[in-house]
Amino acid sequence: MDRVAVGAIIDGKQFAAGLLADIKLEVESLKEKTGKTPGLAVVLVGADPASAVYVGSKHRQTIAAGMQSFKYELPADTSQDELMALIDRLNVDPEVHGILVQLPLPAHLDTHAVIQEINPDKDVDGFHVSNAGRLSTGQPALVPCTPVGCLMLLKDRLGSDLSGLHAVVIGKSNIVGKPMAQLLLAENCTVTVVHSRTKNTPELCRAADILVVAAGRPGLVRGDWIKPGAVVIDVGINRIEADGKSRIVGDVAFDEAGHAAAITPVPGGVGPMTIACLLSNTLTAFCRQHSVTID
Ligand code: NAD
């Protein structure tokens, strides 16, 4: 089986760096235009180590982009009422244009209620039902960051016109699979969504011009599931132990994908795009709240 050629590897790290540089320039121009600075509030409840790393990284990159970052680190025993009260304050704070509550929340908190409390116009994660509804009905929405990043990578490879292509999305979560399918539909792709109860998954995948995989199952997609010339976006992040070492792999058997036209590696593919798209969503939210456009 052919190995993936260097030119077929979609470098998400490099693409995200370019996007962040563009965002920084846009922030400068918006500050001049409005006299205001876009601001992102990130709320962390408890001390989950992975969540703390993500929040730290979001904070640093927000500052690096020239935006204001408001970091709230609350104790693990924070009550539902206390968390809701913080969100209510952030909802009306004119300095805050985007609000993100880091998930997962401790088990005693009602995640759905917390997300629905966020003002949809500040919901930069795009998880509020209003944003899901706006996306699925073609209204201007804040769209979950990971699928937005996947679409950017796809268009970078395939050009801006994806119409008529057959896209297969593996996974139907509210965070990745469903919004990804909606975005591809909005691009006039023919979209098939595959999930854990689908009966003929390999056969469906073999028909895909675009294959987006978000199952959280290491090596799920084998080489013979991929149509020659397809573009493959591997969203999966799985930690596996091999040869006494721990490493991160995706959902696609990367070494078997040499006949794909292009594929994202894991790590270094979709992952770096997510924070860049979060900042892009914060800019979008700022522009809508202040009725300005980006030049
Ligand atoms: P999830 O567990 O909520 O959903 C997984 C989906 O995959 C489900 O719809 C399930 O039906 C489907 N699935 C599971 N096993 C399957 C199988 N054998 N065949 C077909 N479908 C199957 O997960 P999620 O939140 O959507 O995340 C999916 C993966 O993407 C995870 O590995 C996660 O870590 C990763 N992820 C990465 C980023 C990023 O920034 N790169 C962001 C979000 C999620």
Side-chain angles (χ1 to χ4, degrees), residues 96-120:
V96 172
H97 304 93
I99 302 169
L100 178 150
V101 177
Q102 185 66 43
L103 302 180
L105 288 170
H108 69 280
L109 294 170
D110 178 346
T111 301
H112 179 75
V114 168
I115 299 301
Q116 301 320 307
E117 190 71 8
I118 298 172
N119 175 349

Side-chain angles (χ1 to χ4, degrees), residues 231-284:
V231 175
V232 182
I233 303 290
D234 188 353
V235 185
I237 301 178
N238 310 288
R239 184 171 288 281
I240 59 159
E241 306 293 326
D243 305 327
K245 286 187 196 145
S246 160
R247 64 189 181 101
I248 301 286
V249 297
D251 288 351
V252 179
F254 186 84
D255 290 343
E256 299 177 9
H259 53 297
I263 179 168
T264 54
V266 179
V270 174
M273 293 297 291
T274 299
I275 295 186
C277 291
L278 171 68
L279 299 185
S280 170
N281 272 356
T282 305
L283 267 197
T284 302

Side-chain angles (χ1 to χ4, degrees), residues 54 127 145-147 150 169-178 193-198 201 205 213-218 220 225 234-239 249-251 266 269-275:
Y54 290 138
F127 295 163
C145 306
T146 300
C150 294
V169 178
I170 304 186
K172 63 174 176 75
S173 71
N174 292 336
I175 293 174
V176 189
K178 280 184 202 152
V193 179
V194 163
H195 49 81
S196 56
R197 306 287 175 89
T198 302
T201 299
C205 291
V213 192
R217 299 281 181 273
L220 171 72
W225 294 27
D234 188 353
V235 185
I237 301 178
N238 310 288
R239 184 171 288 281
V249 297
D251 288 351
V266 179
V270 174
M273 293 297 291
T274 299
I275 295 186

